[in-house]
Amino acid sequence: MRWEVRVTVRLKEGLNDPEGRVIESALRNLGYAVENLKVPKYFEFELESDNPEREVEEMCRRLLANPVIHTYEYRIEKVS
Amino acid sequence: MRWEVRVTVRLKEGLNDPEGRVIESALRNLGYAVENLKVPKYFEFELESDNPEREVEEMCRRLLANPVIHTYEYRIEKVS
């Protein structure tokens, strides 16, 4: 079966996020009252699988995220 | 008023996405039947604004996206 998968990988709280700080500063310098800007990694893909939950969980742990510094979440929807 | 904003910036269809190709290849080499993998840019932030729709639209056009090569979409929710 075919699935549409979206994975979001975030830095754990308290870890330094230089890209987020730079973009937040740039937006504030343009006059926008932005706070707590974060730049998670975001992946969208299609997956052919009989067990998408297990495979996506594996993909996150093996390649898409580093469990030491990241948290991750995913949404899996059947392709109609 | 305070808003929670999520912006997704995607490369336009047909544009080369080398990062996506590399990650897709790596996942396929691990045995996962992944296709059409994309790596959009994704921003999450809080915004203090009386007109969040207009400000977020401006931010996308001025800084977060390049309208020549990107499409973008956003979700704006009131912080409770």
Side-chain angles (χ1 to χ4, degrees), chain A residues 3-6 52-54 56 74-78:
Chain A
W3 310 88
E4 174 74 34
V5 182
R6 293 182 179 80
E53 286 268 352
R54 182 180 58 74
V56 172
Y74 43 81
R75 279 185 298 156
I76 300 173
E77 283 166 33
K78 203 159 181 307

Side-chain angles (χ1 to χ4, degrees), chain B residues 26-45:
Chain B
L27 288 170
R28 295 184 69 87
N29 289 339
L30 289 171
Y32 304 109
V34 168
E35 277 177 27
N36 291 323
L37 188 141
K38 287 171 184 150
V39 192
K41 274 294 206 184
Y42 184 55
F43 306 92
E44 295 176 330
F45 55 90

Side-chain angles (χ1 to χ4, degrees), chain A residues 14-32:
Chain A
L15 289 177
N16 198 20
D17 176 5
E19 186 180 6
R21 295 290 70 69
V22 168
I23 297 170
E24 182 176 305
S25 293
L27 287 170
R28 294 183 71 85
N29 289 340
L30 288 172
Y32 305 109

Side-chain angles (χ1 to χ4, degrees), chain B:
Chain B
M1 284 205 285
R2 197 165 185 83
W3 311 87
E4 174 73 35
V5 182
R6 293 183 180 82
V7 177
T8 309
V9 176
R10 293 183 175 82
L11 274 177
K12 286 186 180 172
E13 279 302 322
L15 289 177
N16 199 20
D17 176 4
E19 186 180 6
R21 296 290 70 68
V22 168
I23 297 169
E24 184 177 303
S25 293
L27 288 170
R28 295 184 69 87
N29 289 339
L30 289 171
Y32 304 109
V34 168
E35 277 177 27
N36 291 323
L37 188 141
K38 287 171 184 150
V39 192
K41 274 294 206 184
Y42 184 55
F43 306 92
E44 295 176 330
F45 55 90
E46 288 171 54
L47 177 66
E48 185 72 37
S49 172
D50 294 331
N51 195 341
E53 286 267 353
R54 181 179 59 74
E55 292 201 354
V56 172
E57 181 70 30
E58 275 180 13
M59 282 185 239
C60 288
R61 280 187 279 116
R62 294 174 75 182
L63 192 103
L64 300 178
N66 173 350
V68 177
I69 58 169
H70 294 134
T71 61
Y72 53 85
E73 63 183 26
Y74 43 82
R75 277 186 299 157
I76 301 172
E77 284 165 34
K78 203 159 181 308
V79 173
S80 51

Side-chain angles (χ1 to χ4, degrees), chain A residues 34-49:
Chain A
V34 168
E35 277 178 26
N36 291 324
L37 187 139
K38 286 170 184 152
V39 192
K41 274 295 206 184
Y42 184 56
F43 306 93
E44 296 175 330
F45 56 89
E46 289 172 54
L47 177 66
E48 185 72 38
S49 172

